[in-house]
């Protein structure tokens, strides 16, 4: 069961609601998801004998990333070294940029990346900052590791390919990695509160992550295009068209597959308020979660009441 029948396909209003829906996503993450992610990181740190994060310290993505990396016996990371790899970003949470070195025996040791590589990641962050999408990285990426040696299921860690690329391509890659971390954490939160009997299959997780990452990547190029609507650079316009074409192809089957995969939950709402090929606002103004402060599965009665209230074509758009 998806959130509700899609009755408003007017995409033209989406740009006007970007800031509002960004704020809703941030609020939802901090209210529902981050407490579960922080608790999970604390358990991982204790299990790895790495020392749990200080409960009086404001939780952030870097703290969680270090706990997740320390939980992997094949990875070595020294917090003191990490402190020398932080980007000098304007405001916002801490972000470390690391690269891996293979030790004798095959263990991966993470060390600060070269200054050039740190500067390249900083340029990507500034691109996202300029269009209002840096929050995805701020909240869900504490460490960028160059290369793919770190497992993809370590939350709050982004894996970027080393080497030369332009700042915009790096920004898209970093945003997609942030989307992967976000989706992992939202899915794990639903699983932690009993929304499903167990974890989703790898295929379903990859599909949801792909839809979410593509939707955010479209927003990157759409927001850049909106800033220069009269003379949008061709690489921006072309990439925007490519991503939108792929997303539009999903439109007919998207509500049904999301409903079958995750049901009426916060992950479905995240997809609903991000996917650009309908009016994203309808899933915010008709949310069944507005007055729920501690996330839990909706009861059957709550689901029925929600559908009765909003499903009619005459419902407020």
């Amino acid at each position: 069961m998806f959130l509700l029948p899609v009755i408003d396909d007017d995409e033209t209003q989406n740009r006007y609601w970007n800031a509002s829906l960004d704020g809703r996503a941030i609020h939802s993450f901090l209210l529902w998801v981050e407490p579960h992610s922080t608790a999970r990181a604390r358990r991982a740190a204790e299990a790895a004998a790495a020392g749990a994060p200080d409960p009086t310290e404001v939780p952030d993505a870097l703290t969680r990333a270090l706990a997740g990396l320390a939980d992997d016996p094949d990875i070595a990371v020294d917090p003191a070294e990490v402190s020398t790899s932080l980007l000098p970003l304007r405001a916002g949470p801490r972000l470390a940029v690391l690269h891996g070195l293979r030790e004798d025996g095959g263990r991966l040791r993470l060390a600060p990346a070269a200054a050039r590589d740190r500067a390249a990641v900083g340029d990507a962050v500034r691109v996202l900052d300029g269009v209002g999408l840096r929050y995805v990285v701020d909240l869900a990426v504490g460490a960028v590791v160059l290369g793919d040696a770190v497992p993809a299921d370590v939350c709050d860690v982004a894996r970027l390919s080393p080497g030369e690329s332009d700042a915009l391509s790096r920004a898209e890659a970093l945003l997609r990695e942030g989307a992967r971390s976000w989706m992992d954490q939202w899915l794990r939160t639903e699983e932690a509160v009993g929304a499903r009997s167990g974890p989703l299959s790898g295929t379903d997780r990859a599909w949801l992550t792909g839809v979410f990452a593509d939707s955010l990547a479209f927003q990157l190029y759409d927001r850049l295009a909106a800033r220069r609507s009269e003379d949008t650079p061709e690489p921006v316009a072309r990439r925007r068209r490519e991503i939108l074409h792929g997303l539009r192809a999903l439109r007919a089957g998207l509500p049904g597959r999301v409903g079958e995969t995750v049901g009426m939950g916060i992950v479905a709402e995240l997809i609903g308020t991000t996917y650009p090929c309908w009016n994203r606002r309808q899933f915010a103004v008709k949310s069944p979660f507005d007055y729920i402060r501690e996330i839990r599965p909706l009861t059957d009665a709550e689901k029925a009441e929600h559908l009765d209230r909003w499903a009619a074509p005459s419902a407020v758009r």
Side-chain angles (χ1 to χ4, degrees), residues 38-317:
T38 299
R40 185 174 184 274
R42 184 167 286 114
R43 291 193 298 271
E46 291 171 343
D54 184 347
T56 65
E57 186 177 277
V58 177
D60 66 1
L62 179 57
T63 302
R64 297 193 300 268
L66 293 177
L69 292 168
D71 192 40
D72 190 325
D74 295 323
I75 297 175
V77 57
D78 183 350
E81 279 196 306
V82 170
S83 66
T84 68
S85 70
L86 301 179
L87 292 183
L89 296 174
R90 177 183 61 82
R94 302 170 297 168
L95 181 62
V97 184
L98 307 166
H99 73 119
L101 302 170
R102 288 293 177 186
E103 298 179 327
D104 293 341
R107 195 180 193 200
L108 182 71
R109 183 174 70 84
L110 297 180
R116 179 184 61 185
D117 292 323
R118 295 202 303 274
V121 174
D123 290 342
V125 173
R126 280 183 280 275
V127 171
L128 298 179
D129 198 12
V131 295
L133 289 169
R134 179 178 158 181
Y135 71 88
V136 177
V137 175
D138 282 350
L139 294 179
V141 176
V144 173
V145 178
L146 303 178
D148 58 1
V150 172
D153 62 350
V154 180
C155 277
D156 297 288
V157 174
R159 305 183 306 165
L160 293 185
S161 298
E164 297 296 329
S165 64
D166 61 276
L168 183 55
S169 297
R170 286 193 299 270
E172 180 186 342
L174 181 58
L175 183 61
R176 287 181 176 277
E177 282 292 283
R180 177 186 57 78
S181 181
W182 262 58
M183 182 56 68
D184 278 351
Q185 293 183 61
W186 286 62
L187 287 170
R188 286 174 174 173
T189 296
E190 284 196 334
E191 290 154 9
V193 300
R196 286 178 292 282
S197 58
L200 293 179
S201 69
T203 300
D204 286 337
R205 295 179 81 92
W207 181 78
L208 286 166
T209 300
V211 173
F212 183 51
D214 282 347
S215 296
L216 286 179
F218 170 78
Q219 286 191 40
L220 168 62
Y221 292 100
D222 189 58
R223 295 182 189 195
L224 288 170
R227 294 198 312 190
R228 296 177 57 179
S229 57
E230 299 300 323
D231 62 339
T232 302
E234 176 53 29
V236 171
R238 181 177 66 252
R239 190 70 182 121
R240 179 186 181 279
R241 288 193 302 269
E242 291 171 352
I243 298 172
L244 184 61
H245 178 75
L247 287 167
R248 201 177 297 287
L250 302 175
R251 168 65 182 85
L254 185 66
R257 182 163 181 184
V258 173
E260 292 169 2
T261 304
V262 292
M264 188 186 291
I266 59 172
V267 171
E269 181 168 299
L270 183 65
I271 295 291
T273 55
T274 310
Y275 178 72
C277 298
W278 52 44
N279 190 333
R280 297 157 53 209
R281 170 181 174 269
Q282 65 190 306
F283 295 101
V285 300
K286 304 172 184 178
S287 172
F289 304 105
D290 273 349
Y291 302 104
I292 296 179
R293 295 193 58 79
E294 185 172 339
I295 197 60
R296 57 173 175 75
L298 297 176
T299 66
D300 289 342
E302 286 172 327
K303 293 177 182 178
E305 191 274 338
H306 172 68
L307 291 174
D308 286 344
R309 177 183 299 171
W310 294 116
S314 59
V316 176
R317 289 175 182 254

